[in-house]
Amino acid sequence: MKLLYILTHQIHNLTPLFRELSIKKNVDFKAIYWQKISSKYFDPEFKKIIDFGIDQFEGYSHESLFNEEKKSYDFSFFFKLKITVKLVKLLISSDYNTIIFHGYSFPHIFGLIIAKLFNKKTIMRSISYNLGKKNLLKKIIRFIYYRFANFFIDEYWTIHNLNEKFFLDFGAKKKSFVFIDHCQGEYSKLLSINKNLLLNKEKFTNKYDLPNNKKFIFFGGRFIKRKNPEYLYDAFIEANLSNDWFLIMVGNGELKAKIEDKNRSNKLKNIKFLDFQDQKSLINFFTYSEILVLPSELGDTHGNIAAEAVQFGCALILSNMVGLRTECIDNKIGLVFDIENKNELVDHLRLLTKESKILDNFQKNAFEFGKTKTPEHAANLIAQSLEL
């Protein structure tokens, strides 16, 4: 089986999967990137140079349509036109017989058409949902765009019910669905290489100037409107939790200074703000946090950091705008609140910090559920689906 995976750039939660696919028997795997992004690149939402701390190119075959290393992404219309030309040429000349497209960007639509003309199997992987309100014109344009693209797709790799509904809304047939878990991180491998990455709690709290006798609630990500960190900050204050609990907020972005200024005015000592942490550092934050909160607004997608946190047994509190919400409820790994009702978030914080049995059950379920979010598990599902 010759398997080609096409995506806009290297994505840190997919490169571990690519490494796993590359060691499968009877598969010739290759990733095609539109562009080559430096491992230390400028993220416009974090507003800083970041490095996820993992090798994004090791252990699998890859090629970039534009191979000059960049410090930032280019998703301009003109660049997409150039990508379309290169992608069409690649697919015409390629002998790979199964093509996976990551997302519905218009160069991929042209790629789908060419792939079908040359009798290749086409697979769509799109971490997309139909959430929020849209005006009639936008609904019509989206329907025509996605419905047209779906004429050229043989198979859809889905991640859960909301994702399935997205495909169904635009004419995909359920018989073409294959469930492939969305994997996140390669923490087991990182720890097997270097067990010293996992600190004991005293060393961890000393390193980040955190209290050693508290239970931690964790937020990690971009401090931007979509991720909604101020909403959590305000809810945490309103919840007025016992002195046992401490909020850690990790990341960077345009809203961080505003929230830090607000906290200086409030003079709260049970909240700590830290900068972006790479994959290796996150191991300790997940290990020593009891609860992860993801208060995202419309526009967020799956909730990647939640898929990471459950691998360490963190209970979840998610907004109803997070794609992982259905899995959170179905697998009893946490609570979901309506983004329009902050009181629900406040109540959930109070419940999980007061009712230890409920929290313990969520954490046990989360740890088991987390076993399905590893790159090894996703690679096995892909191999099964392709009958490798």
Side-chain angles (χ1 to χ4, degrees):
M1 172 71 70
K2 297 178 73 66
L3 194 63
L4 200 66
Y5 199 119
I6 300 173
L7 60 168
T8 56
H9 60 284
Q10 67 267 26
I11 301 173
H12 77 278
N13 66 344
L14 287 180
T15 47
L17 172 63
F18 295 166
R19 284 191 267 272
E20 291 298 322
L21 286 173
S22 295
I23 61 176
K24 293 292 181 187
K25 292 181 179 179
N26 303 320
V27 59
D28 179 359
F29 176 83
K30 188 174 186 179
I32 299 294
Y33 298 118
W34 291 10
Q35 52 199 318
K36 184 178 182 179
I37 304 299
S38 170
S39 60
K40 296 180 180 180
Y41 73 99
F42 180 78
D43 188 296
E45 293 183 326
F46 277 117
K47 290 193 176 299
K48 64 177 296 184
I49 298 291
I50 66 168
D51 182 355
F52 283 102
I54 60 172
D55 192 321
Q56 305 251 22
F57 296 107
E58 182 184 14
Y60 67 99
S61 177
H62 57 85
E63 177 185 331
S64 299
L65 297 179
F66 285 89
N67 202 42
E68 180 183 353
E69 189 171 272
K70 300 178 180 180
K71 290 287 187 181
S72 60
Y73 306 124
D74 185 351
F75 295 129
S76 66
F77 179 76
F78 180 67
F79 182 68
K80 288 179 180 178
L81 288 178
K82 293 194 291 184
I83 287 296
T84 301
V85 174
K86 280 185 171 282
L87 185 57
V88 167
K89 290 180 178 178
L90 172 77
L91 291 171
I92 290 174
S93 61
S94 173
D95 62 349
Y96 281 79
N97 52 15
T98 301
I99 317 295
I100 306 156
F101 294 88
H102 195 90
Y104 280 91
S105 60
F106 80 76
H108 290 177
I109 308 303
F110 283 96
L112 285 164
I113 296 170
I114 296 300
K116 289 311 300 173
L117 286 175
F118 284 80
N119 201 31
K120 301 177 188 291
K121 181 179 181 179
T122 56
I123 299 174
M124 176 56 67
R125 178 62 143 179
S126 180
I127 315 301
S128 302
Y129 318 104
N130 267 339
L131 298 176
K133 297 178 181 179
K134 300 176 179 66
N135 63 48
L136 181 60
L137 178 60
K138 191 170 185 178
K139 286 181 180 179
I140 292 172
I141 293 172
R142 278 167 56 86
F143 181 82
I144 293 172
Y145 182 85
Y146 290 118
R147 185 71 182 88
F148 173 76
N150 286 345
F151 280 119
F152 306 98
I153 298 171
D154 297 315
E155 189 172 287
Y156 304 82
W157 285 356
T158 67
I159 56 175
H160 49 58
N161 291 340
L162 283 178
N163 189 224
E164 285 190 6
K165 187 178 184 305
F166 167 82
F167 291 126
L168 290 169
D169 286 347
F170 299 111
K173 303 299 181 184
K174 197 159 188 174
K175 65 181 180 181
S176 301
F177 292 175
V178 176
F179 177 76
I180 305 292
D181 262 308
H182 181 53
C183 63
Q184 190 72 25
E186 54 182 344
Y187 297 107
S188 295
K189 184 167 289 185
L190 290 173
L191 285 168
S192 69
I193 296 170
N194 184 2
K195 293 181 180 179
N196 292 327
L197 290 174
L198 179 58
L199 307 176
N200 63 41
K201 188 172 183 181
E202 184 177 2
K203 288 183 178 179
F204 166 65
T205 53
N206 287 341
K207 180 176 180 179
Y208 295 100
D209 192 24
L210 296 165
N212 192 37
N213 60 343
K214 304 290 185 183
K215 297 177 181 178
F216 298 129
I217 298 169
F218 184 62
F219 168 88
R222 296 168 172 87
F223 278 65
I224 58 174
K225 187 176 186 296
R226 189 179 77 249
K227 296 294 185 181
N228 222 6
E230 190 173 8
Y231 192 90
L232 169 59
Y233 174 84
D234 292 339
F236 179 78
I237 294 174
E238 289 180 34
N240 193 26
L241 306 179
S242 74
N243 196 42
D244 296 334
W245 290 90
F246 191 97
L247 176 62
I248 303 173
M249 302 192 76
V250 166
N252 298 85
E254 61 185 4
L255 296 178
K256 188 173 185 180
K258 175 186 176 184
I259 302 171
E260 286 180 316
D261 286 344
K262 182 186 287 191
N263 194 58
R264 277 190 285 270
S265 298
N266 291 331
K267 297 180 180 179
L268 297 178
K269 296 182 179 180
N270 59 343
I271 300 176
K272 180 78 171 182
F273 298 93
L274 295 167
D275 283 343
F276 168 86
Q277 303 294 316
D278 66 20
Q279 297 285 286
K280 295 174 182 177
S281 298
L282 282 175
I283 288 171
N284 293 288
F285 288 94
F286 293 143
T287 297
Y288 295 112
S289 294
E290 305 291 331
I291 304 165
L292 176 125
V293 184
L294 200 54
S296 305
E297 290 189 349
L298 179 65
D300 209 8
T301 52
H302 184 63
N304 288 340
I305 195 167
E308 294 175 87
V310 292
Q311 295 176 48
F312 295 82
C314 289
L316 304 179
I317 298 179
L318 309 178
S319 83
N320 61 337
M321 293 292 105
V322 176
L324 199 65
R325 72 184 194 193
T326 54
E327 292 175 294
C328 182
I329 295 169
D330 293 346
N331 293 277
K332 297 181 174 60
I333 58 177
L335 301 170
V336 175
F337 67 93
D338 187 339
I339 195 63
E340 301 294 332
N341 186 353
K342 190 193 295 178
N343 289 334
E344 279 192 7
L345 173 54
V346 171
D347 290 342
H348 288 349
L349 287 168
R350 289 171 177 165
L351 176 65
L352 291 193
T353 55
K354 289 179 179 178
E355 299 294 336
S356 59
K357 287 186 179 179
I358 295 175
L359 177 61
D360 287 346
N361 285 334
F362 282 152
Q363 290 174 334
K364 289 175 184 175
N365 293 339
F367 184 76
E368 290 302 313
F369 177 70
K371 295 175 182 177
T372 69
K373 296 301 175 185
T374 65
E376 295 86 354
H377 178 72
N380 287 337
L381 291 177
I382 291 171
Q384 292 168 19
S385 75
L386 299 173
E387 298 181 351
L388 298 176

